[in-house]
Amino acid sequence: MARITAGVCTSHVPAVGAAIDMGKTGDDYWKPVFAGYEFSKQWIKEEKPDVIFLVYNDHATAMDLRLIPTFAIGCGDKFDPADEGWGPRPVPVVQGCPELAWHVAQSVIQSDFDLTIVNEMNVDHGLTVPLSLMFGQPDQWPCRVIPFAVNVVVYPPPSGQRCFNLGKAIRKAVESFDDDLKVQIWGTGGMSHQLQGSRAGLINQEFDNQFLDRLRTDAEGLALLPHLDYVRDAGSEGIELVMWLVMRGALNADARELYRFYHVPASNTALGHVIYENSM
Ligand code: DHB
Ligand code: FE
């Protein structure tokens, strides 16, 4: 049987990807950011997951205003990197896991979540930056990845509650897959940031730290937070944080926070990162 053994959440700041790709990780500005992932890189090297179920958001790279799925599951066998801004990152092609992805699609859709099935798509910094932060710069990513895109870019986003419940449905799906796979679930994006308008540059450390605390101690209550609270308190792009609730919903209530890192600022963003070990 497949098992969800751990959850990882991290910001996906594109400038972090550019710093890695341009060899600037040792610069004064970036050093403390990358130091915050040293523990995580060692941990995941030892954990050796077979598959990562990677919940992220596309930034008008694979999807644009012509097509806006709320939830899209990547069922293809590979996903090429692409991006706006700095362009496609020089990172390995992402190898998918179609057998598990189709199984999850079947189970989760039959649990009344309307997923869009995607067989071909490119993946942007929302997915590749978390991989780089956790795995560094390998020739090939060391495991397979199922990209799961959530629309948090075009109004209306899904609620935190729906994301939390989706996590539960994903977990049920994974645990009913016959192959003996070690699966991790990742939630990405956030923390507080706003890239546009008169509040551009907004960062709210109090909100972020409360979010990190409640994710650990009161995830059910945190899931009830309305989307307008994210936008008001964490900025228009802070709404990316609902994806962390998919990760939390997929783990047991008593999952243990193994690691936490918070750093302000990274580019325009408050950068957050946690690792949770699932209880068995
Ligand atoms: C930044 C952060 C994001 O989440 C993103 O998608 C683009 C830019 C930033 O901090 O500049
Ligand atoms: Fe983003």
Side-chain angles (χ1 to χ4, degrees):
M1 195 182 83
R3 287 170 305 134
I4 297 189
T5 53
V8 172
C9 291
T10 176
S11 303
H12 62 215
V13 189
V16 164
I20 295 170
D21 302 339
M22 295 172 187
K24 294 186 174 169
T25 57
D27 287 8
D28 287 348
Y29 183 83
W30 290 114
K31 225 178 184 164
V33 169
F34 292 101
Y37 288 84
E38 281 308 314
F39 171 87
S40 314
K41 283 161 89 173
Q42 194 53 42
W43 170 81
I44 204 159
K45 210 180 267 177
E46 288 159 21
E47 278 292 301
K48 297 191 178 58
D50 298 304
V51 183
I52 293 167
F53 198 93
L54 207 159
V55 181
Y56 77 109
N57 71 288
D58 178 77
H59 300 75
T61 301
M63 300 156 203
D64 57 30
L65 289 174
R66 288 173 299 177
L67 182 69
I68 311 169
T70 302
F71 300 122
I73 183 164
C75 292
D77 55 14
K78 70 165 187 71
F79 305 92
D80 290 323
D83 233 307
E84 16 96 53
W86 278 281
R89 298 188 52 222
V91 292
V93 170
V94 172
Q95 303 299 324
C97 186
E99 319 83 74
L100 179 59
W102 276 102
H103 172 83
V104 172
Q106 145 98 14
S107 173
V108 170
I109 290 169
Q110 291 295 323
S111 303
D112 302 336
F113 284 89
D114 308 314
L115 308 186
T116 300
I117 293 167
V118 185
N119 289 311
E120 269 182 45
M121 70 175 166
N122 294 337
V123 287
D124 72 9
H125 66 268
L127 184 133
T128 63
V129 166
L131 286 175
S132 297
L133 281 167
M134 294 298 292
F135 292 121
Q137 294 175 288
D139 292 335
Q140 298 295 328
W141 299 121
C143 63
R144 290 178 290 163
V145 176
I146 297 175
F148 189 96
V150 178
N151 168 43
V152 287
V153 170
V154 181
Y155 191 89
S159 68
Q161 182 70 69
R162 187 146 178 81
C163 289
F164 190 67
N165 291 341
L166 171 68
K168 293 185 184 189
I170 291 168
R171 182 236 180 105
K172 188 174 126 210
V174 168
E175 290 185 345
S176 60
F177 189 65
D178 281 341
D179 289 5
D180 221 3
L181 294 176
K182 204 170 171 183
V183 180
Q184 288 187 0
I185 181 150
W186 291 15
T188 60
M191 298 191 77
S192 59
H193 63 302
Q194 170 144 347
L195 302 175
Q196 56 197 309
S198 58
R199 297 201 308 161
L202 176 145
I203 279 178
N204 184 343
Q205 301 195 42
E206 194 184 333
F207 175 94
D208 290 336
N209 282 295
Q210 259 182 29
F211 185 93
L212 291 167
D213 288 342
R214 292 185 75 191
L215 193 68
R216 181 164 58 83
T217 59
D218 176 31
E220 299 258 349
L222 181 60
L224 298 175
L225 198 70
H227 71 277
L228 287 176
D229 288 27
Y230 286 92
V231 175
R232 187 189 61 231
D233 295 337
S236 51
E237 278 67 44
I239 188 68
E240 290 178 345
L241 279 170
V242 291
M243 294 182 286
W244 292 38
L245 288 166
V246 183
M247 177 295 278
R248 195 63 187 88
L251 302 185
N252 293 332
D254 64 350
R256 188 170 78 93
E257 185 193 81
L258 178 68
Y259 183 68
R260 184 193 289 198
F261 176 62
Y262 183 70
H263 178 85
V264 172
S267 187
N268 301 293
T269 303
L271 181 145
H273 167 44
V274 293
I275 298 175
Y276 279 68
E277 270 180 338
N278 209 6
S279 54
M280 287 299 147

